[in-house]
Amino acid sequence: MRIDIITVLPELIQSPLDHSIIKRAKEKGLVEVVLHNLRDFTDDKHKTVDDYAFGGGAGMLMKIEPLARAIESLSSERDYDEIIYTTPDGTLFSQSTANKLSLLENVIILCGHYKGIDQRIRDHYITMEISIGDYVLSGGELAAAVITDSIVRLIPGVISDETSALSDSFQDDLLAPPVYTRPAEYRGWKVPEILLSGNTKEIEKWRFEQSLERTRKLRPDLLEEDE
Ligand code: ADE
């Protein structure tokens, strides 16, 4: 899979791409993540990427020309399955969206900034608009990093034990069960006996019940949705 990220602040996303699972996935050749500085697609001396909104109002918008140039330049190299725009007024991101995106070949993520992008870019190029939550970030870069991380870890072969990604919270619309590691007792706080029993079937059953109970208590909304 290849993910191209268009941004005015490449430095802001670089670090999460250079660590942990994304780093390993890149090294294994399972994903290529390429950052593109939007300013490289400007044609004026000041490398202007923003401008005032027609009709007035506070805040600047991202200009149409550099965005169009960046998207067209990438699209001339390969076909993209999705051209994603990160914005607080997009569709709420979820594990099921991450699952779908992880199956794609080529994806562009365009990071929003300022008061947003010229609507014509959304109308003519963007195929998917994603919000990572009902709050406003200073820019779409952190959202792009979140989306990239959640996708990359799902690509087959990225996490060595594939079942590990499949048993994450949300993967089956349930929160993950509580987990414990050694020692079996710490300051008198004991690990549940069942986990030490070696009875795999009973352990699975216990985990499922715990998942269900935690979901009921903490995120009852997950049990109501049918997706
Ligand atoms: N840009 C600013 N806020 C955002 C959000 N919540 N999700 C995605 N992109 C954003």
Side-chain angles (χ1 to χ4, degrees):
M1 179 178 195
R2 178 180 166 121
I3 303 174
D4 287 280
I5 302 178
I6 303 173
T7 167
V8 286
L9 286 171
E11 317 82 47
L12 193 54
I13 325 184
Q14 191 66 61
S15 175
L17 301 178
D18 288 345
H19 293 92
S20 185
I21 285 173
I22 303 184
K23 180 183 181 203
R24 235 187 308 142
K26 288 194 295 186
E27 286 168 357
K28 283 190 191 168
L30 295 169
V31 71
E32 203 179 342
V33 188
V34 188
L35 294 176
H36 304 272
N37 192 333
L38 187 63
R39 292 188 198 280
D40 294 342
F41 298 91
T42 54
D43 60 0
D44 64 316
K45 196 170 77 188
H46 301 291
K47 299 187 183 294
T48 312
V49 289
D50 58 345
D51 206 344
Y52 295 98
F54 276 124
M60 307 290 275
L61 303 186
M62 290 172 86
K63 279 169 72 65
I64 191 166
E65 300 96 324
L67 289 172
R69 256 184 232 123
I71 294 168
E72 283 179 12
S73 156
L74 288 171
S75 301
S76 70
E77 299 284 328
R78 65 195 67 75
D79 288 330
Y80 285 93
D81 304 299
E82 295 287 357
I83 302 182
I84 299 166
Y85 170 51
T86 56
T87 176
D89 59 359
T91 307
L92 206 54
F93 193 54
S94 65
Q95 190 65 37
S96 78
T97 310
N99 287 341
K100 284 172 202 150
L101 292 176
S102 74
L103 302 173
L104 303 181
E105 204 58 48
N106 299 308
V107 168
I108 291 177
I109 304 179
L110 168 60
C111 303
H113 242 271
Y114 314 112
K115 280 283 174 190
I117 59 176
D118 189 297
Q119 181 61 37
R120 290 166 291 182
I121 293 290
R122 297 170 81 156
D123 295 341
H124 296 285
Y125 297 100
I126 299 299
T127 60
M128 198 173 189
E129 303 189 329
I130 295 180
S131 162
I132 61 159
D134 290 338
Y135 41 79
V136 179
L137 301 166
S138 311
E141 282 74 15
L142 296 178
V146 166
I147 294 165
T148 302
D149 185 281
S150 69
I151 296 173
V152 169
R153 61 197 305 286
L154 293 169
I155 299 172
V158 167
I159 296 182
S160 45
D161 177 4
E162 265 186 61
T163 57
S164 164
L166 292 176
S167 61
D168 287 340
S169 280
F170 298 112
Q171 205 50 268
D172 49 9
D173 279 343
L174 291 178
L175 301 184
V179 289
Y180 301 85
T181 183
R182 288 185 290 185
E185 183 171 343
Y186 179 73
R187 294 186 183 165
W189 305 331
K190 288 188 177 141
V191 169
E193 206 61 48
I194 180 80
L195 296 176
L196 313 175
S197 70
N199 187 333
T200 338
K201 217 168 146 205
E202 283 303 309
I203 290 173
E204 276 313 302
K205 189 165 155 248
W206 180 86
R207 285 187 169 145
F208 178 71
E209 285 163 2
Q210 290 288 318
S211 282
L212 210 53
E213 196 178 312
R214 280 185 118 182
T215 313
R216 261 194 216 115
K217 200 163 139 205
L218 302 170
R219 292 292 308 275
D221 56 301
L222 291 176
L223 297 170
E224 286 150 25
E225 281 170 21
D226 38 59
E227 217 196 330

